[in-house]
Amino acid sequence: MAMTDRTQTAETDQSAATGAVDPKQDELSWQGRLELFAPLREGGPGRAMTHIAIIAISVAGIIWAVLADQSILADNPLAYVAGIGGFGAILTTLIIFLLRGPFRSRKVVFVLAPDHAEIRKRTAQEKVDAAVNLIADLATGTMAGQAVPQSFVPWADVTRVRYLPEAHQILLKLREINLRFHCHEADRYARAKAIVGAHTGNRR
């Protein structure tokens, strides 16, 4: 089945006029929001304590860079170079943090398709995520491209599933990332659970 257009935000309904649709062939998409402090494994900015730690490290790095430019460390070339290097590293960390956190759009479209599960971001956010991955790759000298985890996964890659009926959430676990689907409504949660269960079986 072809993927729905990326601009689609309305919930799809492919229920047949007579009888129920096979969950493996069913497709469901709906608009929603990610949690404000979604964990890094779920593509979010991280928990609140992560934010506090990054800010603390950033402040320490900036202070060190300032001291390196003053008389306290100016007589030591190695300390000066270390200070400037630390400032550059901490600035890179801050840029990635801001783009992944406060400046990140939490509006998404949750998609459960016959061949994959996806948390679809807006086009503008995808461009920002690509920039974050590029900055991280340049800073680390790698081409991992995983500073922002992927949000499109084939069903075969899902290793575990956790159902949270009270919160109307479904958590798909993979080796390095998680996808959390916020279903909100009971009927939507039941249908989403049927689709996920048909593709993943007893992966708990």
Side-chain angles (χ1 to χ4, degrees):
M1 181 180 295
M3 292 177 54
T4 54
D5 189 88
R6 287 188 170 274
T7 59
Q8 176 184 2
T9 56
E11 178 181 344
T12 60
D13 185 358
Q14 297 183 357
S15 297
T18 58
V21 175
D22 179 359
K24 278 197 172 184
Q25 300 303 319
D26 197 4
E27 180 170 356
L28 180 65
S29 66
W30 68 98
Q31 59 184 345
R33 285 176 176 269
L34 298 176
E35 293 180 353
L36 179 60
F37 294 114
L40 297 175
R41 282 181 59 88
E42 297 179 16
R47 297 304 189 188
M49 290 303 298
T50 303
H51 287 231
I52 294 174
I54 290 177
I55 292 174
I57 293 173
S58 300
V59 171
I62 291 172
I63 292 175
W64 175 258
V66 171
L67 290 176
D69 197 37
Q70 301 301 318
S71 58
I72 298 177
L73 299 177
D75 295 335
N76 188 337
L78 292 179
Y80 179 81
V81 172
I84 297 301
F87 179 79
I90 225 62
L91 180 61
T92 300
T93 301
L94 269 177
I95 291 174
I96 294 175
F97 166 72
L98 292 173
L99 293 178
R100 285 196 58 170
F103 295 162
R104 185 178 184 82
S105 172
R106 295 188 295 124
K107 294 182 179 180
V108 296
V109 176
F110 298 104
V111 179
L112 298 175
D115 59 346
H116 73 277
E118 177 184 6
I119 297 180
R120 186 177 298 164
K121 296 165 284 191
R122 293 183 171 184
T123 302
Q125 185 60 56
E126 288 186 342
K127 292 180 179 179
V128 172
D129 288 349
V132 170
N133 282 331
L134 177 60
I135 293 172
D137 286 346
L138 293 175
T140 60
T142 67
M143 295 303 293
Q146 289 298 312
V148 178
Q150 63 175 330
S151 57
F152 176 103
V153 296
W155 288 113
D157 291 349
V158 177
T159 57
R160 293 184 60 192
V161 179
R162 184 181 178 190
Y163 299 106
L164 306 170
E166 293 184 358
H168 291 164
Q169 296 178 5
I170 299 176
L171 182 62
L172 304 183
K173 296 187 176 184
L174 293 87
R175 289 185 178 85
E176 298 179 355
I177 65 170
N178 295 334
L179 298 184
R180 186 184 297 270
F181 291 80
H182 303 262
C183 303
H184 300 302
E185 299 175 1
D187 291 344
R188 180 182 296 157
Y189 173 79
R191 183 175 166 194
K193 183 178 179 180
I195 295 173
V196 172
H199 290 284
T200 61
N202 296 320
R203 299 179 209 172
R204 297 190 182 184

